[in-house]
Amino acid sequence: MKSNMKSLFQRVMASMIVVIACVAVLSSCHTKEEYEFEFSMPGQVVLQPGTTVTVAFKAVNISSVSISSTPAGWSVGEVDLVNSTVKVTAPKSYEADSEETIEENGMLKMTGYTAAGTPIYISSYLSLLNQNIDLTSQYANSYAISQKDTRYTIDVTHEGESAERINPAEVDVLWQSANMLLDYDGYDPQKGTYTFFIGAEEVTDENDEVIGTRMPKGNAVIAAYDEAGEIIWTWHIWLTDSDVEATAITTSAGVFMDRNLGAYTNSNGSTDTELVYDSYGLYYQWGRKDPFLRPRDYKFTDNKDEVVYTGGGSTKLFRYVTKEQVADEVRANTFGTMGYDIADPFTFLLGTKDNDYDWLYDGHDAALWSATAKSKNDPCPRGWRVPAADAFSHFDIAEDEDLAALSDVRGMWGWHLVDKTTGAKMFMPAVGRRSFENGVLTNMNNYGYENVPSPWVGYYWTATTTSGNMSQAMFFDLNTTRAVNNRYEAQKPMYRGNGMQVRCVKEK
């Protein structure tokens, strides 16, 4: 079950020391009422099925307490106000198809009353330890997760996979591609961990009858904040439909993921437009670890971004700006630095001629991503990395698709690349790039085809740099007029301010 309560550890468990002042018409009441009412446990209450725990709370000047609500299937005993405790018993079992209604996660809400009869409300998050995955030992910049109806815990004290540590004052959802995609979330500052729940979305048949559930589609970014409210690091949560380890493709150039970083799946040449769109990953400026959004539909119809939501449920827009466009902002003097990059993952930093169209303005850094060893800024999950450019020299466009009638390949919106040594195939969606000049999704060819220009051009970053403060990308172009003009370049120099897709390769 889902809840509208977000960041429960920060907000629900906060101490409630309250002073109420009375104000009447034409006069004021100077009587003050002071009290304190809070749960003593600093985090969520997680129980094994059928077990009981005593939950303590603090009650100062509280004369009576009652239970307001509990999750379905949970048992809460009478409140012991003398010892300031209440006993909570978890359901004996959790079965998704059980006739008995049981909420795996939910809120225990209590109402306290002062001597004057003022009601005070507090809540504690209860959770049944049914499916739980602890990823704290696998700290990284990105997590590919594929198990639905599961609670995940990640470490939020490391910068990527490095030994460099941070001590966040707060941690919360920065953005998510669906409202409440990450639910029942909370930060435990004592452990340095962040926990969130991934539910499931319904699968319906042609009659709109529910026939099952599946892993939700989407992406999210979690942010850590310092005491001043500045972002000090972020982590990408990538929800995908299957285990990327199990579906990986072995080639002579290494073991590749079968999908783009941030994509739900891989259409593998299907012409089903939903699958095509689900194959679109996220965009990255070279050397930055934080992703930028897909178009809102597979055709790039209006070149608008996918809609995203904050942890609080409001919509949020990414922005695409130059240094001059933020000149009046407080942090304008740090624009184009690594500090600005970390503190503002919502901003796509546009390049200019003066800085060789790099997003980094205070000098160029060829080590942000590395072709020889995984860097701290690498956006791929643990065990994976951005590939070196020479990896793509092992491939070419599948000959049958390269020579096929255009009507046979148009609907695929991409190409199969074939390993020239082993014959292994890998489908690469043609998702264009975000321009270094304005952030617009571009490089969709337009050779007079009767429909709107289509994204049959692909750009994929590699970790390899080249001369002139540029980096190398894999590039292909399906020419919609003449197949003989199809192009494939394994190593194409591109400006680092471009936003491009990433196909991760297994670390050796």
Side-chain angles (χ1 to χ4, degrees):
M1 296 291 179
K2 293 201 174 265
S3 166
N4 290 323
M5 301 296 291
K6 305 299 293 179
S7 300
L8 297 172
F9 295 173
Q10 291 93 353
R11 298 203 289 268
V12 172
M13 301 298 182
S15 176
M16 300 180 65
I17 301 174
V18 183
V19 177
I20 299 177
C22 301
V23 178
V25 178
L26 300 179
S27 65
S28 61
C29 172
H30 297 289
T31 302
K32 292 183 178 181
E33 185 179 15
E34 296 185 0
Y35 56 85
E36 187 173 0
F37 193 35
E38 63 175 343
F39 279 106
S40 301
M41 294 186 70
Q44 59 186 1
V45 180
V46 181
L47 300 181
Q48 296 282 354
T51 58
T52 300
V53 65
T54 300
V55 180
F57 59 89
K58 180 181 285 188
V60 177
N61 290 333
I62 300 295
S63 58
S64 63
V65 177
S66 62
I67 305 299
S68 302
S69 65
T70 59
W74 293 70
S75 174
V76 179
E78 292 186 6
V79 176
D80 182 348
L81 190 55
V82 174
N83 296 303
S84 296
T85 59
V86 60
K87 289 187 177 181
V88 177
T89 302
K92 292 183 179 180
S93 64
Y94 174 76
E95 298 292 341
D97 57 355
S98 172
E99 293 184 2
E100 181 184 3
T101 300
I102 293 176
E103 292 181 280
E104 184 185 4
N105 308 277
M107 302 296 298
L108 164 62
K109 298 180 181 180
M110 300 201 314
T111 304
Y113 295 89
T114 67
T118 304
I120 311 301
Y121 309 97
I122 60 173
S123 302
S124 181
Y125 171 47
L126 304 179
S127 187
L128 186 63
L129 186 56
N130 181 48
Q131 296 187 95
N132 184 68
I133 294 180
D134 187 342
L135 298 173
T136 54
S137 64
Q138 303 176 39
Y139 48 88
N141 286 323
S142 177
Y143 296 88
I145 57 178
S146 57
Q147 183 169 302
K148 64 184 180 179
D149 293 324
T150 299
R151 189 178 305 101
Y152 292 86
T153 303
I154 65 171
D155 171 274
V156 288
T157 66
H158 285 82
E159 295 183 350
E161 296 178 28
S162 75
E164 297 179 52
R165 306 294 289 268
I166 57 175
N167 183 26
E170 288 188 55
V171 181
D172 205 349
V173 175
L174 181 67
W175 66 262
Q176 51 193 337
S177 55
N179 194 20
M180 294 167 55
L181 184 68
L182 274 58
D183 206 1
Y184 301 110
D185 59 307
Y187 171 46
D188 187 333
Q190 281 72 41
K191 295 180 180 178
T193 59
Y194 190 76
T195 302
F196 55 90
F197 180 77
I198 300 296
E201 63 181 26
E202 294 178 344
V203 178
T204 57
D205 60 17
E206 57 187 13
N207 298 317
D208 289 330
E209 296 290 333
V210 177
I211 57 175
T213 62
R214 66 183 175 193
M215 184 71 174
K217 302 176 183 179
N219 292 273
V221 168
I222 293 168
Y225 300 83
D226 62 16
E227 293 286 354
E230 287 285 315
I231 294 175
I232 54 177
W233 205 257
T234 50
W235 299 270
H236 171 209
I237 306 300
W238 170 22
L239 279 60
T240 189
D241 74 339
S242 57
D243 182 356
V244 295
E245 299 276 350
T247 58
I249 300 170
T250 300
T251 75
S252 62
V255 179
F256 281 84
M257 286 189 180
D258 73 334
R259 67 203 65 189
N260 291 359
L261 182 55
Y264 187 66
T265 189
N266 189 314
S267 59
N268 199 28
S270 170
T271 58
D272 182 295
T273 56
E274 183 177 358
L275 281 176
V276 168
Y277 186 54
D278 286 347
S279 296
Y280 291 4
L282 300 172
Y283 295 83
Y284 295 81
Q285 292 187 285
W286 193 93
R288 297 185 74 178
K289 65 181 178 60
D290 289 300
F292 291 88
L293 298 174
R294 307 182 302 169
R296 71 172 69 193
D297 71 0
Y298 81 100
K299 285 187 177 181
F300 296 53
T301 303
D302 55 9
N303 224 300
K304 296 290 181 66
D305 286 352
E306 181 180 25
V307 176
V308 297
Y309 302 82
T310 65
S314 59
T315 57
K316 182 76 174 180
L317 297 176
F318 281 65
R319 63 178 188 166
Y320 307 87
V321 295
T322 62
K323 186 173 185 177
E324 290 71 25
Q325 291 171 310
V326 297
D328 60 343
E329 296 183 5
V330 174
R331 291 190 295 108
N333 63 326
T334 66
F335 187 90
T337 66
M338 282 304 302
Y340 193 100
D341 161 49
I342 293 170
D344 195 350
F346 270 113
T347 298
F348 188 99
L349 285 66
L350 300 176
T352 65
K353 185 176 181 180
D354 292 340
N355 72 322
D356 292 335
Y357 303 107
D358 192 352
W359 63 269
L360 197 61
Y361 281 61
D362 62 340
H364 305 280
D365 191 343
L368 291 177
W369 290 352
S370 171
T372 57
K374 189 171 184 179
S375 68
K376 185 173 76 171
N377 261 29
D378 193 298
C380 293
R382 178 174 280 267
W384 301 85
R385 52 169 297 177
V386 179
D390 60 4
F392 288 109
S393 65
H394 293 247
F395 298 89
D396 205 346
I397 298 172
E399 186 176 5
D400 58 336
E401 294 174 10
D402 193 15
L403 300 177
L406 295 176
S407 59
D408 295 337
V409 296
R410 278 177 177 158
M412 291 173 15
W413 303 76
W415 289 110
H416 279 97
L417 299 187
V418 176
D419 185 333
K420 292 182 287 188
T421 301
T422 68
K425 284 189 174 183
M426 185 164 62
F427 186 77
M428 309 294 285
V431 285
R433 65 183 173 99
R434 285 195 175 276
S435 169
F436 61 86
E437 295 180 295
N438 51 25
V440 171
L441 289 157
T442 187
N443 272 25
M444 298 174 285
N445 66 31
N446 185 10
Y447 303 115
Y449 178 47
E450 61 270 19
N451 291 335
V452 296
S454 302
W456 286 318
V457 176
Y459 284 95
Y460 286 76
W461 273 129
T462 77
T464 304
T465 59
T466 186
S467 60
N469 299 314
M470 302 175 79
S471 293
Q472 294 185 355
M474 182 272 283
F475 162 78
F476 57 80
D477 178 12
L478 188 161
N479 190 298
T480 56
T481 301
R482 299 183 64 200
V484 70
N485 290 335
N486 292 335
R487 291 183 292 165
Y488 176 76
E489 294 184 41
Q491 301 177 40
K492 182 178 179 64
M494 296 294 294
Y495 292 120
R496 294 174 187 168
N498 283 294
M500 300 185 192
Q501 302 269 311
V502 170
R503 179 64 68 90
C504 301
V505 67
K506 194 80 171 175
E507 285 191 276
K508 295 182 180 179

